[in-house]
Amino acid sequence: MTEQVQLTRLPNGLTVLTEQMPSLRSATVGVWVRLGSRHEPAEWNGVCHFIEHAVFKGTHRRTALDIAVESDRLGGHFDAYTTHEMTGFALKVVDTAVPAAFDLLSDMLARPRFDEEELRREQRVIIEEMKMVEDTPDEFLAEIFNAAYFPEHPLGRPIEGTPKTVSTFGHERTAVFHASAYAPRNLVVAAAGNVRHQELVELAARAFEDAPPAAGGDAGDGDVPRPAAPILVKRKKELEQAHLIIATPFPSARHADRYAASLLGSVIGGGTSSRLWQRVREERGLAYSVGAVGSHYTDAGVFQIYAGTSPEQLDEVLDISLQELRRVLREPIGEDELQLVKDQSVSSILLGLESTSARAGTLARQEIVHGRRITPEQVIARIEAVTPEDLRRVAAEFFKTESLALAALGDLNGFKVDRARLEV
């Protein structure tokens, strides 16, 4: 793998990163903001997500229709999203359209109009989005569980906010938050594909030259979250399925054990060959959807097992899930099983190298989370170095009875869980 990554930090604090892939005729160019919902005060909950929507509603040069038409004319794929820790906007286009794509992106992010009538319409759209989550049982359970798992912390708040907070985001409040959040020092411009680094540096310098270097503070990560260990059982009798989450703390995105933790999660429930998939779905036929995933924030992590099953089978699915947690604590994971998930992880990395979108996103995320470039070779070497003892050590550190959390949603008449049952 040839390293063709270049980095420039402008005097106003804005970071520009590019990875040149000269054999391609495409490029992904994007702007990432070093803020997400965890950086919002409680009364501003949802504003980062709201601004992500609102910048599409017009600038001082373009109407909302102009933005839509120009995006379609460029012929690429426009992606925008908000997470707990960052906001991203990326546009994939042919290489000759990079200057036009960046002009559209930078105009939207640097000079949004925030028209009052457009904002009111977008408030209604986002409130409908919230209702959609409430009507989707697995997403609704994840949201109420998150609030109980991170009580009184921004990570426990919904990314989209609440109807009460979103309804307050008129022109003045939105513009005030935007002016601080989208200051140059909080922005990372990243591109991958057939791009020219110096050209993008010059485009970025011109696009954001009006913003004063001192505007806005560094995002920071806020208070370190202190996970609770809730047992949350919510009855919703109209549901056909029961939905289950079992969770424990896990290494953060900056923790030295993050690679071992990722592989451990894959062994337990990361794919169709994983232990949970094979036991719950293939051997018993108890669930269509079952698996496990680790979420890694900058200063905290959460490992979650998820399953959707019939209410009368929920006890059996819970018991099997707990058995698998106990199993990794008591029995070493074999070399063959570990090599399987290593191969799976490395293949995912290598396949991602073929995507300009994946490469640009990785550049931006590594800058925001780690403040430095971590090459694919370095990541693969760390993955290959993980041993069965590393996995067992991570399991012993994080899979503890007192820190185990559970949430269940559905027609749960008679379903009971106490701390003794969750003993691992």
Side-chain angles (χ1 to χ4, degrees):
M1 300 174 214
T2 303
E3 185 70 22
Q4 299 188 71
V5 174
Q6 291 182 269
L7 179 149
T8 298
R9 299 193 195 277
L10 299 179
N12 61 7
L14 186 142
T15 299
V16 181
L17 283 156
T18 61
E19 182 166 10
Q20 191 176 30
M21 304 163 71
S23 62
L24 300 183
R25 285 305 313 272
S26 65
T28 295
V29 59
V31 180
W32 280 260
V33 189
R34 301 175 188 265
L35 291 100
S37 62
R38 76 168 295 174
H39 306 108
E40 303 162 347
E43 65 274 17
W44 290 90
N45 181 211
V47 69
C48 290
H49 176 258
F50 186 76
I51 290 174
E52 176 222 314
H53 281 237
V55 296
F56 284 86
K57 300 306 172 183
T59 72
H60 294 289
R61 288 169 47 200
R62 294 172 168 94
T63 66
L65 180 59
D66 291 336
I67 291 171
V69 169
E70 192 168 345
S71 175
D72 286 346
R73 183 175 288 120
L74 288 167
H77 175 69
F78 207 148
D79 186 32
Y81 61 90
T82 305
T83 71
H84 283 100
E85 298 192 317
M86 68 186 74
T87 310
F89 304 85
L91 190 53
K92 183 175 183 177
V93 294
V94 298
D95 53 3
T96 54
V98 167
F102 188 75
D103 181 70
L104 175 61
L105 266 173
S106 59
D107 186 39
M108 290 169 56
L109 302 188
R111 289 169 287 278
R113 191 166 63 244
F114 295 141
D115 177 77
E116 198 73 61
E117 186 176 342
E118 290 279 8
L119 295 184
R120 282 198 295 271
R121 276 197 290 268
E122 203 56 35
Q123 288 171 7
R124 294 196 293 271
V125 169
I126 291 172
I127 289 171
E128 289 302 316
E129 183 181 355
M130 296 174 195
K131 293 176 182 177
M132 189 169 65
V133 169
E134 292 180 7
D135 286 341
T136 309
D138 55 338
E139 293 183 18
F140 178 60
L141 178 61
E143 194 162 281
I144 61 175
F145 170 75
N146 210 42
Y149 193 77
F150 291 115
E152 306 302 320
H153 191 276
L155 284 179
R157 299 179 196 139
I159 291 172
E160 68 273 16
T162 67
K164 181 179 179 181
T165 57
V166 169
S167 297
T168 69
F169 299 149
H171 172 85
E172 186 175 348
R173 275 171 65 81
T174 305
V176 165
F177 192 93
H178 171 270
S180 175
Y182 283 63
R185 70 172 60 186
N186 286 335
L187 302 181
V188 176
V189 173
N194 193 17
V195 293
R196 293 183 293 275
H197 182 76
Q198 192 55 40
E199 178 185 52
L200 191 59
V201 169
E202 292 168 3
L203 290 171
R206 285 198 300 270
F208 296 97
E209 65 184 351
D210 295 336
D218 293 323
D221 299 322
D223 295 335
V224 176
R226 302 186 184 281
I231 296 176
L232 179 67
V233 178
K234 186 173 179 65
R235 189 178 181 193
K236 201 169 184 180
K237 61 185 300 182
E238 67 271 20
L239 295 181
E240 292 292 330
Q241 276 198 316
H243 300 264
L244 174 70
I245 291 174
I246 303 169
T248 73
F250 223 37
S252 73
R254 295 170 175 165
H255 197 291
D257 282 331
R258 62 187 182 275
Y259 300 103
S262 177
L263 295 174
L264 176 62
S266 294
V267 168
I268 295 170
T272 56
S273 62
S274 68
R275 293 178 174 186
L276 278 175
W277 182 279
Q278 287 297 312
R279 287 197 64 194
V280 173
R281 176 167 164 156
E282 298 302 317
E283 294 176 16
R284 309 284 183 94
L286 296 174
Y288 174 77
S289 177
V290 61
V293 65
S295 298
H296 304 277
Y297 305 109
T298 51
D299 51 3
V302 186
F303 174 74
Q304 293 188 11
I305 292 172
Y306 166 79
T309 186
S310 298
E312 61 271 17
Q313 297 173 163
L314 185 60
D315 280 296
E316 188 175 0
V317 172
L318 172 58
D319 287 340
I320 292 172
S321 300
L322 292 171
Q323 287 167 16
E324 292 304 331
L325 290 180
R326 295 178 189 122
R327 185 178 166 196
V328 296
L329 286 166
R330 290 164 175 74
E331 302 174 13
I333 291 168
E335 291 283 359
D336 288 346
E337 193 172 13
L338 175 56
Q339 191 59 51
L340 172 64
V341 294
K342 284 183 179 181
D343 292 344
Q344 180 184 12
S345 183
V346 171
S347 295
S348 178
I349 293 168
L350 295 177
L351 289 171
L353 295 178
E354 297 184 0
S355 165
T356 60
S357 300
R359 286 200 182 202
T362 297
L363 286 176
R365 285 191 296 274
Q366 288 182 349
E367 166 64 22
I368 291 171
V369 174
H370 301 286
R372 61 188 175 90
R373 167 80 168 144
I374 305 174
T375 67
E377 294 93 336
Q378 290 172 323
V379 174
I380 290 171
R382 293 289 297 275
I383 290 169
E384 294 290 5
V386 172
T387 66
E389 181 53 39
D390 291 330
L391 269 61
R392 194 170 182 181
R393 176 176 50 77
V394 170
E397 181 177 351
F398 291 96
F399 296 172
K400 297 178 180 178
T401 301
E402 62 271 19
S403 59
L404 210 64
L406 178 141
L409 173 72
D411 189 0
L412 302 176
N413 191 28
F415 178 73
K416 294 181 180 178
V417 181
D418 56 22
R419 184 62 55 188
R421 186 175 179 184
L422 298 182
E423 183 177 357
V424 292

